[in-house]
Amino acid sequence: MPVADFLCRRGKSFPQAPEIPHANCSRQLLQAVNVAHLYPDDKTFIDKPTSKPPQEVLNDFRNISTNTTYGQVVTFVQEDFTGEGQELEAITLQNFNPDPAFLNNITDPLVRAFAQTVHGFWTQLIRETNSSTLCGNSNRCESSLIPLNHTFVVPGGRFREQYYWDSFWIVEGLLESELYDIANATLQNFMDELDTIGFIPNGGRIYYLNRSQPPVFIKKELAWWDRERSISVRSPFTNETHKVYRYSVTNTAPRPESYLTDYTTANDPNLPALNETQRAALYAELASGAESGWDYSARWFTHGPANATLRDLNVRSTIAVDLNSILYGSHLALEDLYGNSNSTARSRHVAAANALRAGVIDLLWDAEKLAFYDFNLVTNARNQMLTAATFYPFWVGIIPDEVLASQQAAYGAFSSIHLVLNRYNGTYPSTFVDTHLQWDAPNTWPPHQYIALKALQQLPRNVSTGPLPSRPEGQSTFALVPAGQLGLSETELPGQPITDTQNATATGPGADVNLLNGTVAHGGNASAGSEGWTAILGRELANRYYTSTLCSWYATGGSIPNLLPRLSDEELNVTQSTSSLGHMFEKFSNLDIDSAGRGGEYTVQAGFGWSNGVLLWVASAYGDVLTAPECPSLLDSAIATGGGNGGGGGGGGSSNTSAAATLFGLLI
C-alpha cells in the first residue's frame, strides 16, 4: 500500500501494520498538503479516501512536487481524493423506544423532557461501515478507515468514527436508553480489534494504530498494557518497588490527524531549534498525550505550568493516577468475572490488583494533602498540581486508610468539589490552572463529572452521612481545603467573572458567589430531611452538570414544545446560533452554565456522545433531586469566555494560519 505511510506510522508494538514502500514520498505528500493548510482542521484531509489507485496518487504528486504552488496542491487534492467520512453511513435505529424506563425516575417535567430529547440524539449518531464505498483489497483506492463489523455510535463533529474511551460513557447512556443491541455491538467491535490488532486503538482510523486510550475495556488487552506500558518504579517514600503503568507511544513524526499543529510545535521559529532526536522525542510525547485522552494539559509538564509550552510535555515519564486506577479496576472486574470458575485466574488478578493498589497508595497518595497526584519520574516525586484524576482511585474502590478512618479526612479528599460548587458557576474543571489548553481550566469534561459523582458514592456510610462543613467566619470555602492540596494559593485560582469587566473577589466570603442557604445556585433544592455531605455534593454537582448541558443547548437554539420556547433571533445572535437547533458540546466551561469550553487543537465539537451518555446516566441516578434549570439571559450575561457559548472558541484551525503560510513557503 504505497500511500499508507501518510495514514499510519509503523511501530514495534503492532507488527500487523503493512509494509510500506515509497515512505519518503508519502511523507512528503502528507507534509505538503498539511502545510498548505487547505482545511481548518488537519483531520479533514487524512480522513479523505483517495479517488484513484494509490500509485496513481503518488505519481500525480510527483508531477507537482517541485516548486509546488498552493493552487497546485488544491487541484491535486480535489482530483485525487473524495469526501471525508464517506466510508461510514448513518442508519435507522430499529426498535427505538421513545420512552425508556429511566425517564420514570425523573420528577421535574422540564428535566424529564430534556432527558427524553437527549435520548433521541442517538438516532443522529448511529453509524455502520458503508461497504459499498470501501476500498478493500481492490487497489482502486485507499482509505484511513478501520472497517468495523458492527454498528456503533460516533462522538460527533470531527470525530466521525468509533473512539475508545468515549465509548464507555456512550455505553452508559445506551444502557439507560435500552439500546442494548447497540451497546453490545460496540463491545463486539472492540473484541474484534483485540483479535485482529492485539489492542484497542485510540479510534477507528489506521493512523491511530500506534496508540490506545485509557483502557476502560477489560479482558485480554490487559496483557498488552502489561507488556507495552508497564514500568518498575522504586518509591522514594518507602523504598519499595512497584510495577505501575504510563502512557508511552512509539512515534517519530507528527500525528497525521494533527500534522500541522505538531509540526509547528516542533519547528516553531520563535523557540530554540530542535535536532532530529529532540523532534522525534517531542512527537512521541505529543502522541502519548493523545493516548492519555488529556491532550493537552499542564498536568503533563515536567516542572509545572509556569512558562511551559507543549515542548515541555513529560507524559512518558509520568505515572498517571487515572491510568493506574483504571487498570486496578480491570483486575477487580476480572476477579469477579472468573469467580469460582477458574480459581487460578482469579487468584492471579487478586494478586495483581493488590500489588497495583499498593503502588497507587505509595506513589500517588499524599496523606497530608488528602489527594492523589501523578508521580513524576524526572523529579522522582509527586507532582503538586491537583487534577480531576484525583477521584479515579475512589471510583474504582481504592480508598486510603486515612479516608476510611475519619469523616473529616473523607470530606477533605472531596473538599475541592465543595469549593468549585460555591465559587464557580459551572462544574468541576480538569485542573485549576488556565493555560488555554483544553484539558485545563476553565474547561470541564462530562467523564470527570461522572467519575466525581461515582467516587462520592463509593465512600462508606460511617464517613459520608455527617453534615457538610461550614466555612470559617470571614473566609471562603477555600479555607476548608487541606493546606497545599490545590498547589495554588487562593489568589492564584482562576477568577469567576460576575460582569463583563469584573471578577468576584478572590478571597473571603465574597468569593463564594454561588453559595445559597442549604444549597448552591443551580444545585437543586436542599432536602427537607437529613442529607449527608456526600449526598449534598452529589445533588449539587448532578444539578450543575444538568444545567450546563441544558442551558448551553438552549443557548444555541434548543427548544422543547410547551416547556422551553426557542430564544429570539436577537438572543441567538449572541451565540451565532440563529440557524441552529441546539448543540450538545463535548466540553463545558466552569465559569458559565450556558457555555461550551474552549482551547485545544480544534474548535469545540457538538454531538456529543459522552456528554449525552453522562446526561442520561445523571438523569437516571439523580432524577428525583434534579430541578428545572433557570438559564441566564444571553443579552445580560455575555461575559467571560470569549463568546464560547456558540460553536466554541479556541483551538485548532485558525491559530495555525500564519505559521502555515510561513512554513509552506519554506518547505515546498
Side-chain angles (χ1 to χ4, degrees):
M1 293 197 292
V3 184
D5 189 56
F6 73 80
L7 301 174
C8 171
R9 299 280 179 251
R10 280 192 71 200
K12 64 179 181 180
S13 301
F14 36 95
Q16 305 88 334
E19 294 292 340
I20 301 169
H22 304 293
N24 291 337
C25 185
S26 298
R27 185 172 296 190
Q28 290 170 3
L29 188 159
L30 180 60
Q31 183 165 291
V33 173
N34 278 285
V35 172
H37 201 53
L38 305 187
Y39 307 101
D41 187 341
D42 297 348
K43 190 174 184 293
T44 301
F45 172 66
I46 205 66
D47 288 356
K48 289 178 174 291
T50 67
S51 58
K52 300 177 180 180
Q55 192 59 54
E56 286 188 33
V57 175
L58 288 175
N59 290 339
D60 289 347
F61 177 69
R62 289 193 187 96
N63 290 335
I64 66 164
S65 59
T66 302
N67 299 320
T68 311
T69 67
Y70 180 86
Q72 287 176 315
V73 175
V74 171
T75 300
F76 165 68
V77 172
Q78 289 176 342
E79 293 181 350
D80 287 56
F81 295 84
T82 61
E84 64 278 7
Q86 292 184 3
E87 319 98 317
L88 301 172
E89 60 181 346
I91 63 169
T92 301
L93 271 176
Q94 302 298 322
N95 304 317
F96 181 76
N97 178 8
D99 294 294
F102 86 89
L103 294 173
N104 296 325
N105 299 348
I106 306 170
T107 54
D108 182 87
L110 177 58
V111 171
R112 186 186 191 280
F114 183 57
Q116 190 168 29
T117 299
V118 174
H119 163 65
F121 291 164
W122 297 128
T123 62
Q124 304 169 25
L125 298 172
I126 298 291
R127 300 288 187 274
E128 64 181 22
T129 303
N130 184 356
S131 57
S132 67
T133 65
L134 289 181
C135 297
N137 297 319
S138 65
N139 207 39
R140 64 182 177 84
C141 62
E142 191 164 284
S143 165
S144 63
L145 183 74
I146 299 175
L148 299 176
N149 296 322
H150 307 279
T151 305
F152 55 94
V153 175
V154 298
R158 77 195 288 265
F159 302 109
R160 56 182 66 90
E161 50 281 314
Q162 179 169 284
Y163 280 80
Y164 183 7
W165 80 316
D166 294 64
S167 296
F168 179 92
W169 290 278
I170 288 172
V171 166
E172 282 279 19
L174 292 174
L175 295 177
E176 298 295 347
S177 293
E178 300 173 9
L179 292 170
Y180 306 119
D181 56 337
I182 306 301
N184 180 64
T186 299
L187 302 183
Q188 292 293 329
N189 283 326
F190 289 143
M191 288 189 282
D192 289 346
E193 289 183 325
L194 287 171
D195 288 339
T196 58
I197 301 172
F199 73 105
I200 300 174
N202 184 145
R205 297 277 170 179
I206 65 174
Y207 49 75
Y208 291 135
L209 284 174
N210 68 346
R211 65 181 191 258
S212 187
Q213 269 192 326
V216 289
F217 192 79
I218 56 172
K219 309 185 89 168
K220 72 178 185 181
E221 75 160 343
L222 266 178
W224 184 88
W225 283 89
D226 197 61
R227 183 178 67 252
E228 300 293 338
R229 300 293 189 261
S230 66
I231 186 173
S232 292
V233 176
R234 182 178 293 276
S235 168
F237 314 112
T238 65
N239 210 34
E240 296 289 332
T241 298
H242 304 281
K243 181 169 74 173
V244 287
Y245 299 85
R246 58 181 174 161
Y247 299 108
S248 183
V249 177
T250 301
N251 184 59
T252 59
R255 294 166 296 151
E257 79 282 8
S258 298
Y259 191 97
L260 183 58
T261 302
D262 288 2
Y263 189 88
T264 303
T265 300
N267 296 277
D268 189 335
N270 298 313
L271 294 174
L274 301 180
N275 61 37
E276 190 61 33
T277 300
Q278 291 170 323
R279 279 196 296 271
L282 175 57
Y283 291 142
E285 288 293 335
L286 289 163
S288 299
E291 181 172 74
S292 79
W294 292 48
D295 44 344
Y296 296 99
S297 166
R299 169 191 186 186
W300 305 123
F301 292 155
T302 306
H303 301 291
N307 302 314
T309 72
L310 289 180
R311 288 191 177 186
D312 297 295
L313 288 173
N314 185 44
V315 184
R316 295 178 297 165
S317 293
T318 298
I319 307 304
V321 172
D322 40 359
L323 173 60
N324 286 274
S325 301
I326 291 168
L327 290 171
Y328 168 83
S330 294
H331 284 297
L332 286 188
L334 286 169
E335 172 192 342
D336 290 340
L337 183 64
Y338 281 113
N340 296 323
S341 65
N342 187 332
S343 60
T344 301
R346 183 178 186 274
S347 297
R348 184 172 68 251
H349 287 291
V350 169
N354 290 340
L356 189 49
R357 183 188 189 279
V360 168
I361 293 293
D362 186 354
L363 295 172
L364 310 180
W365 171 248
D366 189 312
E368 293 184 359
K369 296 178 183 178
L370 297 173
F372 289 94
Y373 300 89
D374 298 326
F375 187 83
N376 189 325
L377 297 176
V378 173
T379 62
N380 200 37
R382 298 185 192 106
N383 288 340
Q384 301 299 306
M385 176 184 293
L386 185 73
T387 77
T390 191
F391 302 121
Y392 277 72
F394 295 99
W395 172 39
V396 298
I398 301 178
I399 304 179
D401 292 342
E402 294 83 0
V403 172
L404 292 172
S406 162
Q407 182 160 281
Q408 181 180 0
Y411 166 78
F414 289 85
S415 57
S416 60
I417 297 178
H418 192 190
L419 177 144
V420 166
L421 292 167
N422 285 357
R423 193 180 190 99
Y424 296 104
N425 291 347
T427 52
Y428 199 91
S430 301
T431 72
F432 288 88
V433 296
D434 186 350
T435 61
H436 301 286
L437 298 173
Q438 67 168 348
W439 288 86
D440 286 327
N443 288 349
T444 77
W445 294 81
H448 292 163
Q449 316 317 309
Y450 169 96
I451 289 164
L453 290 167
K454 282 283 193 177
L456 284 166
Q457 294 174 2
Q458 285 281 61
L459 294 180
R461 286 185 56 82
N462 67 301
V463 297
S464 64
T465 56
L468 188 67
S470 299
R471 60 191 182 176
E473 183 69 27
Q475 298 185 58
S476 74
T477 312
F478 182 85
L480 299 174
V481 179
Q485 186 186 88
L486 300 181
L488 300 166
S489 68
E490 185 169 14
T491 57
E492 291 175 314
L493 290 172
Q496 170 60 59
I498 55 176
T499 71
D500 287 344
T501 58
Q502 182 184 3
N503 286 350
T505 181
T507 61
D512 292 333
V513 294
N514 285 293
L515 180 60
L516 303 174
N517 184 23
T519 188
V520 294
H522 308 292
N525 297 324
S527 171
S530 175
E531 193 178 23
W533 69 269
T534 57
I536 293 172
L537 294 183
R539 171 192 30 96
E540 292 176 348
L541 183 58
N543 271 278
R544 192 68 69 79
Y545 177 73
Y546 213 92
T547 298
S548 293
T549 53
L550 188 152
C551 290
S552 57
W553 173 79
Y554 183 51
T556 52
S559 63
I560 300 174
N562 303 319
L563 286 172
L564 194 66
R566 181 178 169 85
L567 293 172
S568 68
D569 282 355
E570 181 185 12
E571 292 168 300
L572 293 175
N573 191 53
V574 173
T575 62
Q576 302 176 12
S577 302
T578 54
S579 60
S580 170
L581 297 177
H583 294 312
M584 290 289 287
F585 292 113
E586 63 166 342
K587 58 180 179 275
F588 302 91
S589 170
N590 87 321
L591 303 179
D592 295 288
I593 58 163
D594 58 354
S595 172
R598 60 173 168 80
E601 299 176 339
Y602 51 83
T603 57
V604 177
Q605 301 298 295
F608 195 84
W610 64 19
S611 305
N612 305 350
V614 173
L615 187 284
L616 298 178
W617 176 82
V618 166
S620 178
Y622 293 88
D624 60 335
V625 297
L626 296 175
T627 58
E630 296 181 8
C631 301
S633 166
L634 294 180
L635 299 180
D636 294 339
S637 62
I639 62 170
T641 55
N645 292 334
S654 59
S655 64
N656 288 321
T657 303
S658 59
T662 301
L663 292 168
F664 184 81
L666 291 173
L667 290 171
I668 56 176

